[in-house]
């Protein structure tokens, strides 16, 4: 069975997201841990979290994907900005224990002129502060498009971060199809080659989730503009190969395409129809 969901609004709480996911044919979902632009998280409602945990287990949901706000920057040149990223992620991880055994994805950050090596060092330092041996959440680095000074558009950079993290077992990668294509990995014409490179540099055992997005712009565009599935430069044939690929087909897929719920429902149905049960 294809494990697939989409990004949902967290405004009405955990249980509401679970019900929404079911209503659109999803068996998982992604959500922001707090307002993506703001800093303050809503007070955690443990009863609501518990209701979601029960719903998810009743309906055999795949792992859920919490997404850190995209405004934090753990490799900012400004020490206060770095400290804010660390505190935000630490708080998110503490709260996520109310919905245990799921995934937490973040954008590695932008080194803003400090150089990629300094960026990598600062990201790893942040992770070494926040990861706890007993945590149940796996923290994911997202593959980035390489916009501006973003760290993490090349597999080698992600590997270097992982190499510097002491609790590497709590870490993984979320591969965003739009971003890797933007970054120059040709998943349209050479999916096998890209996955072989991923395995050699990072290890496929570290790949925990896929953001499944088409791209408005072409290979190596570094633009990060998502398109609906089949309406961008990646295209439906490539997505059919991606969801069925032996190295990927068991992973959870999360749509972050420009859609409201009816559009997401249609994309989930479309991708399910293209998935070959084996
Ligand atoms: Fe993201
Ligand atoms: Fe993404
Ligand atoms: Zn993106």
């Amino acid at each position: 069975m294809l494990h697939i969901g989409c990004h949902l609004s967290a405004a009405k709480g955990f249980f509401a997201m679970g019900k929404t996911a079911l209503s659109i044919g999803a068996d998982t979902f992604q959500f922001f841990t707090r307002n993506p632009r703001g800093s303050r998280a809503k007070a955690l409602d443990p009863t609501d979290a518990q209701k979601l945990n029960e719903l998810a287990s009743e309906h055999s949901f795949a792992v859920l994907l919490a997404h850190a706000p995209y405004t934090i920057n753990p490799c900012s040149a400004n020490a206060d900005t770095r400290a804010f990223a660390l505190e935000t992620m630490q708080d998110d991880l503490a709260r996520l224990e109310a919905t245990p055994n799921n995934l937490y994805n973040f954008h590695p950050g932008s080194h803003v002129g400090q150089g990629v090596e300094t960026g990598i060092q600062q990201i790893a330092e942040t992770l070494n502060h926040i990861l706890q041996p007993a945590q149940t959440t796996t923290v994911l680095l997202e593959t980035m498009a390489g916009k501006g000074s973003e760290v993490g558009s090349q597999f080698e950079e992600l590997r270097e971060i992982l190499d510097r993290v002491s609790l590497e077992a709590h870490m993984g990668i979320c591969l965003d199809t739009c971003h890797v294509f933007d970054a120059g990995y040709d998943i349209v014409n050479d999916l096998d080659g890209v996955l072989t490179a991923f395995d050699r540099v990072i290890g496929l055992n570290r790949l925990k989730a896929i953001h499944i997005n088409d791209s408005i712009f072409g290979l190596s565009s570094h633009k990060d503009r998502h398109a609906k599935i089949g309406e961008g430069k990646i295209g439906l044939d490539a997505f059919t190969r991606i969801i069925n690929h032996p190295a990927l087909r068991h992973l959870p897929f999360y749509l972050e395409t420009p859609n409201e719920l009816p559009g997401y429902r249609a994309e989930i149905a479309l991708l399910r129809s293209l998935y070959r049960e084996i």
Side-chain angles (χ1 to χ4, degrees), residues 30 32 67-68 70 105-107 142 144 176 179 211 226 256:
Q30 172 176 275
F32 282 127
H67 195 310
Y70 49 75
N105 175 62
F106 76 105
H107 295 178
E142 181 166 354
M144 301 310 293
D176 185 310
H179 297 176
H211 278 167
H226 301 188
E256 303 175 304

Side-chain angles (χ1 to χ4, degrees), residues 25-149:
D27 69 338
T28 184
F29 59 90
Q30 172 176 275
F31 62 99
F32 282 127
T33 51
R34 58 190 75 213
N35 184 325
R37 294 182 185 283
S39 53
R40 235 313 133 112
K42 279 199 309 192
L44 182 78
D45 178 349
T47 314
D48 181 41
Q50 188 50 33
K51 277 169 65 189
L52 170 65
N53 296 338
E54 284 161 19
L55 186 79
S57 104
E58 236 172 79
H59 293 271
S60 308
F61 272 31
V63 282
L64 309 179
L65 182 51
H67 195 310
Y70 49 75
T71 43
I72 60 168
N73 187 5
C75 58
S76 167
N78 180 311
D80 290 341
T81 307
R82 289 200 302 277
F84 178 72
L86 186 149
E87 284 157 24
T88 301
M89 294 175 74
Q90 204 162 42
D91 184 51
D92 280 350
L93 283 178
R95 296 157 59 92
L96 284 168
E97 290 301 318
T99 49
N101 303 304
N102 287 309
L103 307 170
Y104 178 56
N105 175 62
F106 76 105
H107 295 178
S110 296
H111 66 71
V112 285
Q114 304 192 91
V116 69
E117 285 307 316
T118 301
I120 285 168
Q121 189 55 43
Q122 291 174 341
I123 296 159
E125 260 171 48
T126 301
L127 288 164
N128 283 327
H129 269 95
I130 65 173
L131 293 175
Q132 300 294 326
Q135 73 181 58
T136 67
T137 303
T138 299
V139 177
L140 308 185
L141 299 161
E142 181 166 354
T143 62
M144 301 310 293
K147 228 180 337 100
S149 64

